[in-house]
Amino acid sequence: MKGVTLATYSKYLGRQATKDELRNISDADIQQIYRSLYWDRAACDQLFSGVDLVVFDMAVNAGPGRAVKLLQEIVGSTPDGGIGPQTLAAVAKQNPLSLIEQYSEARRVFYKSLGAYVTFGKGWLRRVDEVEAEAIKMQGSKA
């Protein structure tokens, strides 16, 4: 099911999906879900290469509103969970590599604050490390 939950698939379909439907979800539906519910909502197309990846991954893992608020807190924009001209202007003033590192560290702090950290923390932090490394590579390829 490639990370898509029953609740997310139901939201995408606009009706309650069945477990069987989710088991048989198409790659096209998965791609559209990730695009419309996470990538687009976090305005990843408008972010630096690499920054788009860390924000997108957080959006998938913790929701687009939380992902955007985290970005807004880092860049000094009002943390309202919606990306608009002020947030994009604040992001544009940042050093992309530094922003990737700051965002990744903020993710670590967030995960460590959760009660489920004891159970899932090791996996969450590994995910952050892997995504951060890939994001840095993406930014490096732009230099």
Side-chain angles (χ1 to χ4, degrees), residues 10-28:
S10 295
K11 181 178 181 179
Y12 170 73
L13 292 174
R15 62 171 174 79
Q16 182 59 48
T18 67
K19 289 179 183 179
D20 193 49
E21 286 176 312
L22 182 58
R23 280 188 210 92
N24 295 304
I25 190 171
S26 70
D27 287 343

Side-chain angles (χ1 to χ4, degrees), residues 7-64:
T8 298
Y9 195 38
S10 295
K11 181 178 181 179
Y12 170 73
L13 292 174
R15 62 171 174 79
Q16 182 59 48
T18 67
K19 289 179 183 179
D20 193 49
E21 286 176 312
L22 182 58
R23 280 188 210 92
N24 295 304
I25 190 171
S26 70
D27 287 343
D29 278 350
I30 289 170
Q31 205 169 30
Q32 184 58 38
I33 287 166
Y34 278 118
R35 165 66 74 175
S36 65
L37 298 182
Y38 303 103
W39 182 268
D40 291 346
R41 287 198 183 164
C44 292
D45 278 342
Q46 299 180 60
L47 302 175
F48 296 116
S49 179
V51 174
D52 56 358
L53 177 61
V54 296
V55 173
F56 170 71
D57 190 65
M58 183 66 167
V60 169
N61 193 246

